[in-house]
Amino acid sequence: MAKNVCIITEYRNGDFRRVTHEVASEGRRIADALGTGLVAVALGSGISAKAPDLGKYGVDKVYVVDDPALEYYLAGVFVPVIAEVLKQLDPAAVLLPASVDGRDLGARLGARMNVTLLQDVIEVVVGDDGKIKAKWPMFSGKCFAWCEWADGVPPLLSIRPNIMQTQLLDESRKAEIEAASAPIPKPRASVLKYELDTSGKVELTEAEIIVSGGRGMKDAANYAMLEDLAGQLGAAVGASRAAVDSGWRPHSDQVGQTGKVVNPNLYIAVGISGAIQHLAGMGYSKYIVAVNKDADAPIFTKADYGIIEDLFTFVPALTEEVKKLKNS
Amino acid sequence: MNIVVIIKQTPDTETVIRLAPDNKRIVTSDIKWIINPYDEFAIEAALRLKEKHGGTVTVISFGAQRVVEALRTALAMGADDAVLIDDPQMRDADFLRVTRALVAAAKEKNPDIIFIGSRTVDYDQGQRGAILAEMLGWPHFALAISMESDGKDITIERPIEGGKVTLKAPLPVLVTFGGSHAVWNPRYASLPGIMKAKKKPLAVKKLTDLGLDPADFSPDKARIRITSLELPPQRKAGKIIDGGLDTSGKARELVKLLREEARVI
Ligand SMILES: Cc1cc2nc3c(=O)[nH]c(=O)nc-3n(C[C@H](O)[C@H](O)[C@H](O)COP(=O)(O)OP(=O)(O)OC[C@H]3O[C@@H](n4cnc5c(N)ncnc54)[C@H](O)[C@@H]3O)c2cc1C
Ligand SMILES: Nc1ncnc2c1ncn2[C@@H]1O[C@H](COP(=O)(O)O)[C@@H](O)[C@H]1O
């Protein structure tokens, strides 16, 4: 029998993270192209109850390791357990999320199993000969590279969140479950604190819409205006390096080559000039709107829609119009 | 405390990327080279640790002779010595093998702790740290945005999607540095620093000097290879919404376009 394609899930706070469904859907597509099944390796505390739901996204069978010691991701625990399960499964290819933890896990797993991980993949093709090729953005997206693995090396790839289409196959489809056996090592590292923002703030790398402010915002307090607009749109708020360096926004909001690389459907750049490092981080957005009072700002050369206006008058007007739309 | 920092020289973030005619490499002839920004954060963290607890900071890199400049900059910032692995046999080596050479060079320094950037701004793979740690059999903490150590244990904070985790472990640990300039604010090389750096030790090593077999690094042993590069589709300037409209008129028009043309809201 042909070897299966395998995904590694990411589970947090009692549920699979959305990116897991994206990875499953892409895994299903690859498995179909190879004419094989799709299996998953799922680690977590209390994960067994949810695991059958992965069937909806095309997973045939889930190998579950359900243990209280797997509440939080720690490389020292997850890597040996997953490596052991994968050794038994001997899959044709392994996919996992290029999330914060997934990237960490994948790199270490690749080294342990002596296969090479390709991180942050945005496109996968399967040739007629069954060979897998994958594409990833280098230089924060200023250039793309296609890669292939040597014969006999099973591809290991982490999939960038928010890129692959989620395919809900069938609401009632259930995956088969099997408890996988692997010893769970005692970690040398310990989790002192695990703090999640419960305000419902949208994570930049997973946001559909981002409203981002730059030096033009002039002051930390003025971001309330962007928060307002973002609230109406269900958007996340981002920032340029200039705004972060000025201390107006936390570093975790920085978009760009030394910040986050984002891929929303809509990116609204407010008071941002469009430096090459900033463009590198958001150039992959489906639609870009620029609001800037300087008609010569480079951001306008990349924007689908440009507004040459003072942001302090335009942003409130835009928020008003969005409100009207939402109420109509 | 022996602190080792692994750095890479990357193209300046200002660089406009152009492809060589074979579409397999980028044009490097007119590139300005810098220390990978995240590796600079790692150097800064190492120097702060040394200022607190004493010890030495060794910077290690792999690459062509031009990388000497990056190492000298690190020495000028305050590192004590440097090692460059420069071996033509490694030119096309893949991630795992480059890292194996870096591990061999790091081991020679008996490190208590290793610092490295969380990713390089050229390949953007964010793998080196985790691979290095795996090869050493050490724990690693990735994407640190803070770092405290008393010389025995180390505590870091690491951002995750929508939150933050605080981790602690006894040394040895490898730490990869995330955050941004605002978090680490890496120091500049001072003029006296630059003068002193000229006299600091900088060793250049080949694979055999590190006890590695060059045959293991031959291009045909690569487990992954780049088959082609491509540039992203050029984004073109779209429309400027004007049409003699006033501010709320433009806002209304934008909402209409986003709704009906782009269909994103
Ligand atoms: C190593 C390195 C890494 C970097 N990494 C990043 C990165 O990851 N992300 C990043 O963003 N940058 C990065 N940069 C910095 C980058 O080069 C720019 O300096 C930065 O992006 C500029 O931010 P900005 O557009 O907000 O500010 P500016 O360039 O100052 O632009 C402000 C804009 O606001 C407009 N404006 C001002 N007032 C108003 C108003 N009232 N109404 C409307 N418009 C107004 C102005 O016309 C101007 O265009 C990096 C730089 C280096 C050297
Ligand atoms: N001097 C260097 N130090 C570390 N990695 C290097 C160096 N030169 C090249 N590399 C390669 O660059 C890759 C991408 O780096 P990263 O994005 O950090 O994973 C690494 O995995 C190495 O293969």
Side-chain angles (χ1 to χ4, degrees):
Chain A
M1 204 191 73
K3 291 179 181 178
N4 289 316
V5 172
C6 180
I7 67 160
I8 297 166
T9 65
E10 188 162 311
Y11 185 80
R12 192 200 280 179
N13 257 357
D15 220 334
F16 290 106
R17 299 192 67 238
R18 187 180 72 181
V19 63
T20 292
H21 301 150
E22 295 167 8
V23 172
S25 301
E26 184 63 12
R28 181 75 254 172
R29 200 182 61 75
I30 296 168
D32 287 346
L34 294 173
T36 83
L38 179 65
V39 300
V41 177
L43 269 62
S45 172
I47 199 169
S48 304
K50 288 274 179 185
D53 291 351
L54 291 173
K56 292 184 212 173
Y57 299 95
V59 177
D60 300 313
K61 184 166 179 179
V62 188
Y63 295 85
V64 175
V65 187
D66 190 340
D67 194 289
L70 302 172
E71 168 94 34
Y72 302 119
Y73 168 77
L74 273 178
V77 181
F78 276 57
V79 173
V81 172
I82 295 175
E84 178 58 32
V85 178
L86 287 177
K87 205 166 80 193
Q88 294 162 24
L89 296 178
D90 187 25
V94 179
L95 281 71
L96 75 167
S99 55
V100 171
D101 288 343
R103 286 176 196 233
D104 193 64
L105 169 71
R108 198 135 186 165
L109 205 54
R112 175 167 290 227
M113 306 195 314
N114 195 25
V115 297
T116 301
L117 167 73
L118 189 63
Q119 197 92 282
D120 211 23
V121 167
I122 57 170
E123 193 178 339
V124 183
V125 295
V126 183
D128 294 334
D129 55 357
K131 239 185 159 5
I132 291 176
K133 275 190 163 199
K135 179 162 106 171
W136 102 92
M138 303 204 312
F139 299 96
S140 305
K142 289 180 194 170
C143 168
F144 296 140
W146 281 100
C147 252
E148 84 188 6
W149 284 262
D151 288 332
V153 179
L156 170 63
L157 13 105
S158 72
I159 304 285
R160 175 182 288 197
N162 237 3
I163 291 280
M164 304 297 184
Q165 288 292 328
T166 307
Q167 291 286 349
L168 185 64
L169 282 189
D170 174 355
E171 206 39 79
S172 63
R173 193 171 179 276
K174 296 265 181 246
E176 191 189 329
I177 303 298
E178 185 177 317
S181 66
I184 299 174
K186 279 248 170 315
R188 281 192 46 211
S190 49
V191 177
L192 295 188
K193 260 194 272 174
Y194 193 89
E195 301 157 89
L196 285 185
D197 180 356
T198 48
S199 65
K201 216 173 115 184
V202 189
E203 163 63 26
L204 277 175
T205 51
E206 296 172 357
E208 306 277 359
I209 302 178
I210 294 172
V211 181
S212 215
R215 200 190 318 264
M217 296 303 295
K218 302 250 174 357
D219 192 351
N222 293 331
Y223 277 80
M225 214 163 69
L226 296 190
E227 301 278 1
D228 247 13
L229 175 60
Q232 289 299 322
L233 291 166
V237 176
S240 70
R241 178 176 161 190
V244 172
D245 282 357
S246 304
W248 303 339
R249 301 299 288 177
H251 73 89
S252 51
D253 285 1
Q254 183 171 322
V255 172
Q257 203 164 355
T258 52
K260 288 184 174 152
V261 178
V262 298
N263 19 257
N265 287 330
L266 174 61
Y267 189 92
I268 306 181
V270 181
I272 293 177
S273 63
I276 188 166
Q277 296 95 341
H278 192 79
L279 295 173
M282 45 65 89
Y284 212 65
S285 310
K286 277 204 196 79
Y287 283 89
I288 296 173
V289 170
V291 181
N292 198 307
K293 65 179 179 189
D294 172 11
D296 295 325
I299 187 83
F300 286 123
T301 66
K302 307 286 172 191
D304 300 279
Y305 305 115
I307 310 276
I308 304 165
E309 281 257 1
D310 189 295
L311 69 92
F312 294 101
T313 50
F314 184 74
V315 173
L318 179 59
T319 308
E320 242 353 271
E321 289 304 320
V322 175
K323 249 186 225 164
K324 277 189 212 158
L325 175 78
K326 298 283 159 176
N327 294 334
S328 67
Chain B
M1 192 187 295
N2 296 337
I3 309 166
V4 163
V5 186
I6 311 275
I7 69 170
K8 186 179 183 186
Q9 193 185 42
T10 59
D12 190 325
T13 54
E14 290 277 345
T15 309
V16 176
I17 301 299
R18 288 183 298 124
L19 302 188
D22 69 355
N23 278 345
K24 287 194 178 179
R25 288 167 195 278
I26 63 162
V27 176
T28 52
S29 50
D30 49 2
I31 278 178
K32 186 178 151 225
W33 297 92
I34 59 166
I35 297 177
N36 175 42
Y38 292 94
D39 294 342
E40 250 183 335
F41 305 164
I43 297 169
E44 176 61 34
L47 295 173
R48 289 184 200 173
L49 190 60
K50 177 186 147 179
E51 281 156 10
K52 222 165 159 188
H53 293 291
T56 57
V57 175
T58 302
V59 280
I60 300 177
S61 190
F62 146 71
Q65 275 302 311
R66 61 171 158 74
V67 178
V68 165
E69 195 193 327
L71 290 169
R72 287 275 176 225
T73 304
L75 294 172
M77 286 170 77
D80 299 289
D81 70 318
V83 179
L84 172 65
I85 310 166
D86 179 13
D87 195 314
Q89 184 70 358
M90 278 176 75
R91 199 146 296 152
D92 285 310
D94 51 13
F95 308 145
L96 284 180
R97 289 181 303 165
V98 169
T99 314
R100 196 180 325 144
L102 293 167
V103 166
K107 272 190 178 159
E108 292 191 336
K109 297 287 166 184
N110 284 319
D112 299 298
I113 195 163
I114 299 180
F115 288 172
I116 186 167
S118 58
R119 65 178 163 94
T120 54
V121 296
D122 51 2
Y123 281 13
D124 268 330
Q125 280 290 303
Q127 299 205 34
R128 296 174 303 170
I131 296 175
L132 261 155
E134 181 64 34
M135 287 179 175
L136 287 160
W138 285 21
H140 81 278
F141 290 157
L143 286 176
I145 50 168
S146 73
M147 186 272 305
E148 288 293 336
S149 176
D150 59 5
K152 282 214 323 257
D153 292 325
I154 180 162
T155 305
I156 66 114
E157 292 174 300
R158 143 188 178 79
I160 55 171
E161 295 87 352
K164 194 169 74 180
V165 186
T166 310
L167 299 162
K168 183 177 180 177
L171 297 182
V173 170
L174 180 144
V175 183
T176 88
F177 288 81
S180 67
H181 289 84
V183 175
W184 295 109
N185 196 16
R187 67 194 69 188
Y188 291 103
S190 64
L191 204 54
I194 294 169
M195 296 313 290
K196 271 194 226 150
K198 289 182 182 154
K199 295 200 196 78
K200 289 181 179 173
L202 191 158
V204 180
K205 305 216 169 184
K206 298 235 173 299
L207 288 169
T208 48
D209 299 329
L210 295 168
L212 296 167
D213 182 357
D216 290 341
F217 288 78
S218 72
D220 60 294
K221 295 236 174 79
R223 301 176 76 78
I224 192 166
R225 55 175 72 84
I226 292 175
T227 53
S228 63
L229 300 181
E230 62 188 46
L231 295 178
Q234 270 302 315
R235 278 199 102 98
K236 285 201 261 328
K239 37 181 122 153
I240 297 290
I241 298 170
D242 189 359
L245 296 164
D246 64 1
T247 304
S248 45
K250 288 181 192 171
R252 205 170 309 128
E253 177 66 11
L254 176 62
V255 168
K256 184 163 173 265
L257 288 167
L258 291 176
R259 176 79 168 186
E260 292 169 12
E261 191 176 81
R263 296 168 188 270
V264 287
I265 62 170

